[in-house]
C-alpha cells in the first residue's frame, strides 16, 4: 500500500474509534504515567508468558523476552505520544507480520493487551485519585474499569477467534477444493501429456478418451476436435502430396522434353536466322541489281526513243530525197524534151543544109554534131532517168523499210517502256521483299533471343521442377512420420493380405 493509502486508512480508523486530536492530547498528558506503568506491567505479562505452555515456546530465552519487552515498551511509548502517522502504521504492521510468522494466535496478544491495560488503568486512576480517602475509591474504580476492559477484550478475543476459525474453515474448504482441483488438473495434465507425447511422435490418432473432470470436458472436446481436424488435414495433405509428386514428375518429364525441344528449336532458329541472313544479303543484292537493270532499261528506252527520232529524221530525209528524185525526173524529162527538140532542130538543120548544097556543108556538120549531142543527151537523160527511177524505187523501199524500222522501234520503245514499268514493279517488289525479309530476319533474331532465353528459363524450370520433386519426396517422408486414421485403416486392411 502507498503512504497516501496508509494515511487514509489510519484516519478512517481513528475517526471510527473516536480517537481525535483531543483524545490524543489526553494521551500525551498521561504519557509519563503510561511509560512508568508499562515496565512493571510487561514484566508481569512476560512472567505469565513463560509459565503458559502455548506461549512459552515463542519466547524460549530471557534474551528473546528482553528484546521483545524493549520493543513493546517503545511501541507503547509511541501510542502514548498520540502521534499516529505512517511510521506508526509501519511498526504495527511489522508486529502483526512477526506474530503471523511465529504463529502466535490473536488470543494470546489480546490477553497481553488486557494485562497491559489493567496496569495502565490502575496507574492512571491512582494518579488521578490520590489522598487518604481516595485510595479505596481508586482501587474500586480501577477494579471496575479493569473488569470492563478485560470483559470487552475477552469478548473481542472470542469474536476474533470465531472469525479466524471461520476463515480457517473456509480456507480449509478452499484448500480442499484446491487440492481436488489440483488432483483433477494433474490427472488432466497427465492425460494430455500422454496424448501430446503420442501427438509429438506423429500419432494423429491419439485422441483423449479418459474420464476427466467436467472443467476439462470442453478442453478435451476441443483437443479431440483439433486432433481430428489435424488428422483430416494431414490425410488431405498426404493425398495432395501424392498428387503433387505425380504432377511434379509429369511436369519434370514434360519440362525435360520441352527443354530438349527448346534447344533443338533454338538450334533450328539459329540456322534459320543464318539462312535468312544469307537470303537478306542475296535479296539486297538482287534489289541492287534490279535497280541497275532498271537504270539500263530506262537508258535503253531513252536510246530507243532517240533511235526512233533518228529513224523519223531518216524517213523525213528519204521523203526529201524522193521529192528531189521527182524533181530530177522532171528535169530529166525537160532535158529529154530539149534533146528531142534539139534533135528535130538538128534534123531540120541538116535538111536545110542539104538544100543549101556546098554552102551548107559546114552547117550540116554542126547540125550533125548537134544531132549526135542531142542523141547522146537523150541517151544520157534516159540512163539518168532509169537510174533516178531505180534510185526512187530504192528510196521508196528504203522509206518503207525505215517506216517499218520506225514502227519496230516504236514497238520496241513501247515494250521497253512496259519492261521498264515491270522492272520498276519488280524493283519495288524486290525492295519491299528485302524490307520484309529484313523484318523477318529481325523477328527471327528476336525469336532466336527469346528462344535462347526460353531455353535458359526451361533449364531453370527443369531444375526447379527437379527441386520440387525432391521437396515433394521429403515432404512425403515427413508426412510418413505421422500416423493418421487413413494410414491406420490401410495397415488394418493390408495385414490380412500379409497373413494370407
Amino acid at each position: 500500500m502507498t503512504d497516501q493509502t496508509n494515511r487514509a486508512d489510519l484516519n478512517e480508523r481513528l475517526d471510527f474509534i473516536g480517537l481525535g486530536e483531543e483524545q490524543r492530547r489526553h494521551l500525551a498528558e498521561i504519557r509519563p504515567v503510561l511509560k512508568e506503568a508499562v515496565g512493571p506491567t510487561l514484566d508481569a505479562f512476560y512472567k505469565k508468558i513463560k509459565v503458559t505452555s502455548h506461549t512459552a515456546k515463542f519466547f524460549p530465552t530471557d534474551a528473546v523476552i528482553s528484546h521483545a519487552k524493549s520493543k513493546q515498551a517503545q511501541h507503547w511509548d509511541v501510542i502514548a505520544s498520540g502521534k499516529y502517522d505512517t511510521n506508526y502504521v509501519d511498526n504495527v504492521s511489522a508486529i502483526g507480520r512477526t506474530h503471523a510468522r511465529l504463529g502466535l494466535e490473536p488470543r494470546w496478544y489480546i490477553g497481553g493487551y488486557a494485562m497491559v491495560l489493567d496496569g495502565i488503568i490502575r496507574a492512571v486512576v491512582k494518579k488521578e485519585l490520590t489522598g487518604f480517602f481516595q485510595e479505596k475509591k481508586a482501587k474500586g474504580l480501577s477494579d471496575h474499569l479493569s473488569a470492563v476492559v478485560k470483559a470487552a477484550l475477552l469478548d473481542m478475543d472470542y469474536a476474533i477467534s470465531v472469525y479466524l476459525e471461520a476463515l480457517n474453515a473456509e480456507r480449509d474448504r478452499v484448500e480442499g477444493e484446491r487440492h481436488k482441483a489440483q488432483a483433477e488438473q494433474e490427472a488432466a495434465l497427465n492425460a494430455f501429456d500422454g496424448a501430446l507425447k503420442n501427438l509429438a511422435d506423429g500419432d494423429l490418432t491419439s485422441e483423449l478418451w479418459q474420464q476427466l473432470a467436467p472443467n476439462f470436458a470442453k478442453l478435451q472436446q476441443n483437443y479431440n476436435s483439433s486432433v481430428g481436424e489435424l488428422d483430416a488435414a494431414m490425410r488431405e495433405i498426404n493425398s495432395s502430396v501424392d498428387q503433387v509428386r505425380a504432377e511434379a514428375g509429369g511436369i519434370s518429364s514434360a519440362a525435360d522434353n520441352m527443354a530438349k525441344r527448346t534447344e533443338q528449336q533454338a538450334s533450328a532458329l539459329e540456322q534459320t536466322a543464318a539462312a535468312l541472313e544469307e537470303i537478306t544479303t542475296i535479296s539486297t543484292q538482287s534489289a541492287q541489281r534490279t535497280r541497275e537493270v532498271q537504270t539500263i532499261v530506262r537508258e535503253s528506252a531513252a536510246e530507243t526513243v532517240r533511235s526512233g527520232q533518228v529513224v523519223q529524221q531518216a524517213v523525213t530525209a528519204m521523203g526529201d530525197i524522193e521529192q528531189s528524185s521527182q524533181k530530177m525526173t522532171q528535169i530529166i524529162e525537160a532535158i529529154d524534151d530539149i534533146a528531142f527538140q534539139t534533135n528535130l532542130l538538128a534534123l531540120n538543120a541538116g535538111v536545110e543544109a542539104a538544100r543549101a548544097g556546098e554552102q551548107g556543108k559546114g552547117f550540116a556538120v554542126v547540125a550533125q554534131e548537134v544531132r549526135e549531142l542531142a542523141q547522146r543527151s537523150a541517151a544520157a537523160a534516159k540512163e539518168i532517168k532509169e537510174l533516178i527511177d531505180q534510185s526512187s524505187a530504192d528510196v521508196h523501199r528504203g522509206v518503207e523499210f525505215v517506216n517499218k524500222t520506225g514502227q519496230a522501234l516504236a514497238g520496241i520503245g513501247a515494250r521497253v517502256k512496259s519492261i521498264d514499268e515491270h522492272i520498276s514493279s519488280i524493283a519495288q517488289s524486290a525492295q519491299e521483299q528485302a524490307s520484309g525479309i529484313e523484318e523477318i530476319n529481325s523477328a527471327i533474331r528476336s525469336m532466336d533471343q527469346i528462344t535462347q532465353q526460353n531455353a535458359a528459363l526451361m533449364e531453370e524450370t527443369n531444375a526447379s521442377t527437379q527441386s520440387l520433386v525432391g521437396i515433394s519426396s521429403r515432404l512425403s517422408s515427413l508426412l510418413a512420420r505421422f500416423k493418421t486414421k487413413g494410414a491406420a485403416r490401410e495397415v488394418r486392411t493390408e495385414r490380412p493380405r500379409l497373413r494370407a
Side-chain angles (χ1 to χ4, degrees):
M1 300 175 65
T2 62
D3 291 344
Q4 185 176 2
T5 304
N6 289 334
R7 187 65 185 174
D9 183 66
L10 176 62
N11 290 334
E12 184 179 3
R13 291 173 183 269
L14 292 174
D15 181 67
F16 182 80
I17 204 172
L19 193 59
E21 293 183 359
E22 182 177 357
Q23 286 76 20
R24 293 198 296 274
R25 187 169 58 252
H26 291 319
L27 282 173
E29 290 176 356
I30 63 171
R31 183 179 183 182
V33 178
L34 266 65
K35 188 174 184 180
E36 184 178 355
V38 162
T41 302
L42 290 176
D43 290 338
F45 170 71
Y46 282 105
K47 184 178 179 180
K48 199 165 187 178
I49 286 289
K50 291 177 66 177
V51 297
T52 304
S53 60
H54 292 288
T55 57
K57 60 184 178 180
F58 299 111
F59 304 95
T61 63
D62 292 337
V64 173
I65 293 175
S66 177
H67 178 74
K69 178 181 177 182
S70 174
K71 292 294 183 182
Q72 284 279 76
Q74 293 177 4
H75 183 62
W76 277 104
D77 186 58
V78 172
I79 293 173
S81 69
K83 296 179 181 179
Y84 302 129
D85 52 16
T86 55
N87 291 330
Y88 166 76
V89 175
D90 292 341
N91 291 333
V92 172
S93 299
I95 293 172
R97 284 192 292 270
T98 301
H99 290 169
R101 178 174 54 80
L102 295 175
L104 184 64
E105 296 179 8
R107 58 181 290 191
W108 304 115
Y109 55 83
I110 289 175
Y113 276 105
M115 294 180 65
V116 173
L117 287 175
D118 178 71
I120 291 173
I121 289 171
R122 292 183 184 279
V124 172
V125 170
K126 183 178 180 180
K127 180 180 180 301
E128 295 294 333
L129 297 177
T130 58
F132 180 77
F133 296 104
Q134 298 293 333
E135 289 182 2
K136 187 176 180 179
K137 185 177 181 179
K139 185 179 181 302
L141 180 60
S142 297
D143 292 338
H144 294 160
L145 291 176
S146 177
V148 169
V149 170
K150 288 179 180 180
L153 290 176
L154 177 65
D155 189 70
M156 182 175 66
D157 173 21
Y158 272 103
I160 292 176
S161 297
V162 171
Y163 173 75
L164 292 178
E165 288 175 359
L167 286 180
N168 290 331
E170 180 66 19
R171 186 182 300 110
D172 292 340
R173 184 186 67 79
V174 172
E175 188 69 15
E177 291 180 354
R178 187 183 68 81
H179 283 301
K180 180 181 178 182
Q182 185 176 2
E184 292 176 348
Q185 182 178 0
E186 288 180 357
L189 287 177
N190 290 331
F192 278 105
D193 181 64
L196 289 174
K197 284 182 179 178
N198 294 332
L199 186 62
D201 293 335
D203 186 2
L204 298 181
T205 63
S206 178
E207 296 181 352
L208 193 60
W209 300 112
Q210 290 91 331
Q211 185 67 33
L212 300 180
N215 293 335
F216 298 95
K218 187 65 176 178
L219 182 60
Q220 182 180 10
Q221 181 181 358
N222 292 336
Y223 171 80
N224 291 336
S225 176
S226 299
V227 171
E229 292 293 334
L230 185 60
D231 177 77
M234 282 298 178
R235 282 187 280 118
E236 185 174 356
I237 290 172
N238 195 10
S239 176
S240 300
V241 166
D242 291 338
Q243 294 179 0
V244 168
R245 290 178 63 187
E247 294 295 334
I251 292 172
S252 176
S253 177
D256 193 15
N257 293 332
M258 178 80 82
K260 293 179 180 178
R261 293 176 183 175
T262 303
E263 291 179 359
Q264 295 175 357
Q265 183 181 4
S267 177
L269 276 174
E270 187 175 359
Q271 295 176 359
T272 303
L276 276 174
E277 189 72 28
E278 294 179 359
I279 292 173
T280 302
T281 304
I282 294 172
S283 178
T284 303
Q285 293 175 356
S286 297
Q288 180 65 29
R289 291 174 182 174
T290 302
R291 287 193 294 271
E292 293 175 358
V293 170
Q294 184 182 14
T295 302
I296 294 171
V297 169
R298 286 179 180 174
E299 292 177 354
S300 298
E303 190 65 29
T304 302
V305 172
R306 287 195 297 273
S307 298
Q309 292 175 355
V310 172
V311 169
Q312 188 64 35
Q313 292 174 1
V315 171
T316 302
M318 288 293 181
D320 293 339
I321 292 172
E322 185 178 11
Q323 291 177 1
S324 299
S325 297
Q326 290 176 358
K327 290 180 181 180
M328 289 174 65
T329 301
Q330 293 174 358
I331 293 170
I332 293 299
E333 287 177 354
I335 292 172
D336 189 30
D337 288 341
I338 292 170
F340 179 75
Q341 292 297 330
T342 303
N343 189 24
L344 287 178
L345 289 175
L347 184 60
N348 290 330
V351 173
E352 292 296 329
R355 286 179 182 174
E358 190 67 28
Q359 293 179 350
K361 288 183 178 179
F363 187 75
V365 173
V366 173
Q368 185 63 32
E369 291 294 331
V370 171
R371 185 179 177 185
E372 291 178 359
L373 180 60
Q375 289 177 352
R376 287 197 299 273
S377 297
K382 185 178 180 181
E383 293 177 359
I384 292 171
K385 184 178 179 183
E386 291 176 356
L387 291 173
I388 289 173
D389 290 338
Q390 183 66 34
S391 177
S392 178
D394 293 338
V395 168
H396 184 69
R397 287 195 305 273
V399 169
E400 290 179 356
F401 290 149
V402 169
N403 285 329
K404 291 180 179 179
T405 303
Q407 293 175 359
L409 287 175
I412 291 171
R415 289 183 175 84
V416 168
K417 184 176 181 182
S418 177
I419 292 171
D420 179 59
E421 292 176 354
H422 288 301
I423 290 295
S424 297
S425 299
I426 292 171
Q428 185 176 359
S429 299
Q431 184 64 34
E432 292 177 355
Q433 183 181 8
S435 300
I437 290 175
E438 180 61 29
E439 292 178 358
I440 293 172
N441 193 13
S442 177
I444 289 294
R445 285 196 296 269
S446 178
M447 288 177 64
D448 183 39
Q449 293 177 356
I450 293 172
T451 303
Q452 296 292 340
Q453 294 174 356
N454 288 340
L457 290 175
M458 284 307 301
E459 290 180 359
E460 295 178 0
T461 303
N462 194 13
S464 300
T465 306
Q466 296 295 335
S467 177
L468 180 60
V469 171
I471 292 172
S472 299
S473 299
R474 290 195 297 273
L475 185 58
S476 178
S477 63
L478 289 175
L479 286 171
R481 294 167 57 186
F482 292 96
K483 179 183 178 183
T484 60
K485 293 180 180 178
R489 285 195 294 270
E490 290 177 2
V491 171
R492 287 195 295 271
T493 55
E494 288 176 359
R495 284 178 180 173
R497 290 197 298 269
L498 292 176
R499 287 195 297 269

